[in-house]
Amino acid sequence: MSNSISVSTRATPATASSDTAISASTRAKLQLNVSILQESASISLNSENDPLALVYKSAITSINEQLQADFGPDAIQNATSQDNSPEGTAGRIVSLSTAFFSAFQKQNSDLEGDQALNKFMDTIKGGIEKGFKEARDILQGLQVLNGDIASNIDKTYALVMKGLDDFVANQGGPKDDA
């Protein structure tokens, strides 16, 4: 059984005359809705097609709209062009997590020197451990945690731990052997 969607995108006199009173943001959203409806017109709602493609397109478009102010247009597409090698991923994890050290020190002014550094490292390593475990669990559930994927995760993890050790060394603190 196949149900097709049919949509007319012609403007009526009422909508055409009110275009001048619509903000640019509202007009952009309306144009997005029209493009989504046009896209959906070509999708049949039966088990042979993938209606989730429309959900995906809509979600990506909406996410890009939300991120545009901070990351520019097409933030999602630009993020996917980043270096996702073990080295690139580990570098981002290390730099983003260690960037909070000075804020951590300010919030924990009662801790001094190595004590502050050790507590900070325990905190971020705990988060990193949890994140890697969750990622592995998800990939295992999808039955794709094998071969190159598993070895790249292991390599990324090792590079993150080395990067954190290097951060500690650069802070002049004791190297954590854990």
Side-chain angles (χ1 to χ4, degrees):
M1 183 168 129
S2 174
N3 296 325
S4 294
I5 297 172
S6 178
V7 177
S8 172
T9 58
R10 290 177 288 167
T12 64
T15 59
S17 66
S18 64
D19 275 350
T20 56
I22 296 175
S23 71
S25 172
T26 303
R27 186 173 296 124
K29 286 181 184 179
L30 289 172
Q31 288 172 342
L32 169 66
N33 289 339
V34 168
S35 71
I36 290 171
L37 290 172
Q38 287 171 333
E39 181 71 23
S40 68
S42 66
I43 296 175
S44 293
L45 297 177
N46 64 34
S47 61
E48 295 175 24
N49 292 318
D50 187 8
L52 292 178
L54 178 61
V55 173
Y56 173 79
K57 180 179 179 181
S58 179
I60 293 299
T61 302
S62 295
I63 292 168
N64 276 332
E65 286 176 0
Q66 294 298 315
L67 296 175
Q68 184 169 355
D70 294 324
F71 301 102
D74 299 325
I76 297 294
Q77 292 83 345
N78 294 336
T80 60
S81 67
Q82 69 189 358
D83 179 5
N84 291 314
S85 68
E87 296 82 3
T89 302
R92 283 189 304 280
I93 292 169
V94 170
S95 67
L96 289 172
S97 60
T98 57
F100 291 101
F101 183 52
S102 63
F104 179 86
Q105 286 176 305
K106 288 177 185 172
Q107 290 181 346
N108 295 278
S109 58
D110 57 316
L111 301 175
E112 295 181 14
D114 290 347
Q115 190 181 21
L117 181 60
N118 288 335
K119 183 168 174 142
F120 175 73
M121 295 310 293
D122 289 345
T123 301
I124 64 169
K125 281 186 177 182
I128 289 168
E129 293 281 342
K130 182 179 179 188
F132 270 88
K133 181 186 180 319
E134 288 174 356
R136 282 186 175 110
D137 289 348
I138 290 168
L139 294 171
Q140 186 68 42
L142 294 171
Q143 299 177 352
V144 296
L145 185 61
N146 52 40
D148 285 346
I149 293 172
S151 64
N152 282 339
I153 289 174
D154 292 341
K155 183 176 182 181
T156 303
Y157 179 81
L159 289 168
V160 167
M161 292 300 127
K162 182 186 180 323
L164 294 177
D165 288 344
D166 291 347
F167 175 78
V168 169
N170 288 335
Q171 298 300 313
K175 188 166 181 161
D176 184 14
D177 294 326

